[in-house]
Amino acid sequence: MPELPEVASLTDFLRERAVGHSILGVDVVAFQALKTFDPPVSALSGLTLTAVSRHGKFLDLDCDGLHLIFHLARAGWLRWREDLSGAKPVRPGKGPLAVRVRLSPNELGLAPGFELTEAGTQKRLAVYVTKDPHEVPGIATLGPDPLGEAFTVEVLKGILGGSRTQIKGLLRDQKVIAGIGNAYSDEVLHAAKMSPFKIASSLTDAQVADLHEAIVTTLRDAVERAHGLAAKDLKAEKKSGLRVHNRAGQPCDVCGDTIREVSFADSSLQYCPTCQTGGKPLADRRMSKLLK
């Protein structure tokens, strides 16, 4: 799933390449992805793309005051096309293509654009056309941006203080903190040397400060690594920069211990026992059931 660093990089990518172009058309292939009907998608045609911004994991394209907003969900991605002038008309089907955005020609006479694709059978990619980004339910309820100036140690302390939630789940909750998902929550907790099962309200002041530093540093470093990369290269960069996520069975880069995994119904987490849990493996309920 694209998380804050990848979405931030895609924001920069589109800002550099798409701003200033007018919208020739927006072709919706996967109709279930479109979550709004008024204004219609056709209202974007002829408008100029004036700005690109980010709200958590949402990308926001401002087109003369009308916003095209999308969330790539778990398996979505953005594919930039240098020239769509010869592209075949899109038709609903079983392929990964969900939306195509066609832009006005550049000085070379090429008509660039981009496509939103989604792999797999669970289609969760979401597209909105709205006059106000905060009319999008997921944006209206977002927690603070962890790379914003307002995200201080005291703010994090207030978030954690009354929560009996395990810290892993809390970090992934977009209503609590915007932009962190499964991968970077694993990375943050490894950097903070903290068990993913630790109860949020049990953190000491020193641990809150360590967690805040880990959140900001981990995300900022990932954003810097991804800066300037083409959209097609972001997935590989994300994978290469991860220390524990999706690395179960491999040695920890910090201590050399074997990275472990805990599996759930639709996701999993990875962690280092030596760095995070005092050397003790966490219970994996799924594996326990298999062994019985």
Side-chain angles (χ1 to χ4, degrees):
M1 174 185 289
E3 300 179 34
L4 186 154
E6 294 77 49
V7 177
S9 185
L10 288 173
T11 300
D12 292 339
F13 182 88
L14 288 177
R15 189 179 291 132
E16 294 171 1
R17 290 165 175 77
V19 167
H21 286 270
S22 59
I23 306 292
L24 292 185
V26 178
D27 306 317
V28 179
V29 183
F31 296 109
Q32 75 276 4
L34 185 61
K35 307 303 181 184
T36 55
F37 62 91
D38 185 22
V41 170
S42 59
L44 292 163
S45 298
L47 301 182
T48 299
L49 205 166
T50 55
V52 183
S53 59
R54 175 184 63 81
H55 313 275
K57 301 179 191 178
F58 290 83
L59 270 159
D60 178 358
L61 280 61
D62 186 341
C63 305
D64 286 334
L66 192 59
H67 296 258
L68 173 62
I69 296 173
F70 49 92
H71 190 291
L72 294 171
R74 176 174 292 185
W77 197 246
L78 183 149
R79 181 169 60 194
W80 178 259
R81 301 285 297 273
E82 293 293 345
D83 187 14
L84 283 170
S85 58
K88 296 180 179 179
V90 295
R91 295 178 180 177
K94 295 182 180 180
L97 182 60
V99 176
R100 175 182 288 166
V101 178
R102 294 176 285 112
L103 302 175
S104 59
N106 56 27
E107 63 277 6
L108 299 176
L110 303 177
F114 62 89
E115 296 170 337
L116 303 181
T117 63
E118 186 172 26
T121 57
Q122 294 185 354
K123 302 299 184 181
R124 298 176 181 174
L125 186 146
V127 179
Y128 308 82
V129 180
T130 179
K131 296 178 181 178
D132 180 2
H134 288 89
E135 291 180 350
V136 175
I139 293 177
T141 59
L142 283 176
D145 191 294
L147 293 185
E149 293 182 2
F151 185 71
T152 63
V153 174
E154 287 302 312
V155 167
L156 180 59
K157 183 178 179 179
I159 290 172
L160 302 176
S163 176
R164 296 294 301 169
T165 304
Q166 292 176 346
I167 192 66
K168 165 77 176 180
L170 183 140
L171 289 176
R172 294 182 61 188
D173 188 342
Q174 300 304 295
K175 295 179 181 179
V176 177
I177 302 174
I180 302 175
N182 197 33
Y184 287 106
S185 57
D186 281 349
E187 297 300 299
V188 164
L189 292 172
H190 180 255
K193 300 184 182 301
M194 189 173 296
S195 169
F197 289 174
K198 191 172 184 64
I199 300 301
S201 60
S202 71
L203 270 64
T204 65
D205 288 350
Q207 288 173 326
V208 172
D210 288 345
L211 180 60
H212 180 272
E213 175 67 18
I215 291 171
V216 174
T217 300
T218 299
L219 295 177
R220 192 167 285 159
D221 288 351
V223 169
E224 290 176 359
R225 289 196 308 270
H227 181 70
L229 293 179
K232 63 182 178 64
D233 298 324
L234 288 173
K235 290 183 180 180
E237 166 52 40
K238 177 179 181 179
K239 184 177 181 180
S240 68
L242 299 175
R243 288 191 168 190
V244 290
H245 185 72
N246 273 350
R247 295 190 62 222
Q250 300 179 41
C252 172
D253 291 342
V254 175
C255 71
D257 194 2
T258 301
I259 295 170
R260 303 292 187 99
E261 179 173 278
V262 177
S263 299
F264 304 100
D266 61 351
S267 66
S268 62
L269 65 83
Q270 290 80 38
Y271 68 99
C272 170
T274 295
C275 291
Q276 297 175 250
T277 61
K280 298 178 180 179
L282 298 172
D284 188 339
R285 294 181 179 86
R286 176 178 289 186
M287 290 304 298
S288 297
K289 291 179 180 179
L290 291 174
L291 292 172
K292 286 182 180 180

